[in-house]
Amino acid sequence: MSDMGMLRQLYWTRGFNKNSRQIGQLVFGGLCNEVHVRRIEFRIIGYVLLTVVSVTAQTSQTKVVPCPAKGVPAGWMTYVNRSYGFCFSYPPSYYQIQKPWLTKYTETKEYSQYILKAAREGRVVRLQPKQTEKSPIEAELDDQAFNLDSLARLAPTGIEGPPEPQQIGTETFYYYGPGGGGVAYADRYFLDVRGKTLSIAFEAGPSNIPSSETRSIEKPLLQTFRTF
């Protein structure tokens, strides 16, 4: 648990306060992100018998998130990553894979191990179409710092330089589309999320490029992306 919203101790202090006739006080100690204090007193014949201080801490687990965004298509689901503070919505024709590191999804042992580590750290989500094993959507937050020039190493065949910027919704994404060489390519969007690199890949279908159905949801999905 992070220090945000952490309450380390809760205890009573007892004593007699000659100014307020206070015999009890509820005391919280610790670190809180946002603290709201409410003071409640119980009086009899003008004397304070008991004072209760109620502390409500807003933690990363209770913090209100800005998803779903306004204008999200009816029926869309929402993915919220509270560990890293981002969220987005996606069509109900997709479902979340619970074990995205399995080799049937990752193709190579090395990539399987990479995704397993990312999954354990809560940095990856794979959304699978309900009707086919093709054309999944995968969002993965890299543990390396965001560097636009370094993304050129991921450029498709025949494309040089870093991905092109695209303003979609409230965010500036950087885009790589299909390249040459006759291999399958995803439509891949990169985003700087607090100095880390988030990659959202819309994977290819049977024709080695994302299908028209997949491409029709790319921008509507990315428009729902929010950080918190």
Side-chain angles (χ1 to χ4, degrees):
M1 181 181 295
S2 68
D3 61 357
M4 184 169 59
M6 184 183 297
L7 296 177
R8 288 199 301 266
Q9 53 190 349
L10 167 61
Y11 56 90
W12 282 94
T13 59
R14 298 182 181 277
F16 186 83
N17 186 315
K18 65 180 180 179
N19 295 321
S20 63
R21 303 287 180 176
Q22 185 176 12
I23 62 171
Q25 182 178 16
L26 190 62
V27 179
F28 291 83
L31 299 173
C32 299
N33 181 34
E34 295 184 21
V35 177
H36 306 277
V37 179
R38 179 183 302 165
R39 184 184 181 91
I40 304 172
E41 296 182 343
F42 299 91
R43 296 172 178 268
I44 296 180
I45 317 178
Y47 293 95
V48 178
L49 295 182
L50 177 66
T51 298
V52 177
V53 179
S54 174
V55 178
T56 302
Q58 181 169 299
T59 70
S60 61
Q61 295 301 313
T62 61
K63 188 174 183 180
V64 176
V65 299
C67 275
K70 293 181 179 179
V72 172
W76 278 36
M77 312 296 288
T78 299
Y79 168 76
V80 179
N81 188 315
R82 291 185 179 275
S83 297
Y84 295 95
F86 66 89
C87 53
F88 61 87
S89 297
Y90 59 93
S93 56
Y94 287 79
Y95 68 100
Q96 184 175 333
I97 294 294
Q98 298 302 313
K99 297 181 179 181
W101 59 85
L102 297 181
T103 53
K104 66 178 181 178
Y105 303 126
T106 56
E107 297 182 356
T108 67
K109 181 178 179 180
E110 291 76 13
Y111 191 60
S112 177
Q113 293 173 342
Y114 174 82
I115 292 299
L116 176 58
K117 180 176 184 293
R120 285 173 173 168
E121 296 172 357
R123 296 186 288 105
V124 64
V125 59
R126 181 185 176 92
L127 305 173
Q128 190 76 31
K130 294 179 179 179
Q131 303 300 323
T132 177
E133 293 186 358
K134 296 286 187 179
S135 304
I137 300 169
E138 188 169 277
E140 188 258 319
L141 187 68
D142 200 313
D143 56 1
Q144 301 299 315
F146 180 87
N147 185 303
L148 191 58
D149 290 332
S150 71
L151 293 177
R153 75 186 189 281
L154 303 174
T157 302
I159 299 177
E160 297 181 359
E164 294 293 326
Q166 289 192 9
Q167 184 68 35
I168 303 175
T170 61
E171 306 290 343
T172 300
F173 293 87
Y174 296 87
Y175 169 74
Y176 273 141
V183 297
Y185 286 105
D187 282 346
R188 192 176 300 273
Y189 297 82
F190 302 93
L191 182 67
D192 182 349
V193 177
R194 300 183 186 86
K196 301 296 184 181
T197 305
L198 177 69
S199 170
I200 302 180
F202 298 84
E203 299 290 349
S207 59
N208 286 344
I209 61 174
S211 67
S212 58
E213 290 79 9
T214 296
R215 285 183 166 161
S216 70
I217 67 170
E218 289 181 5
K219 290 188 177 180
L221 184 152
L222 296 175
Q223 287 172 352
T224 72
F225 187 90
R226 298 289 187 274
T227 58
F228 58 90

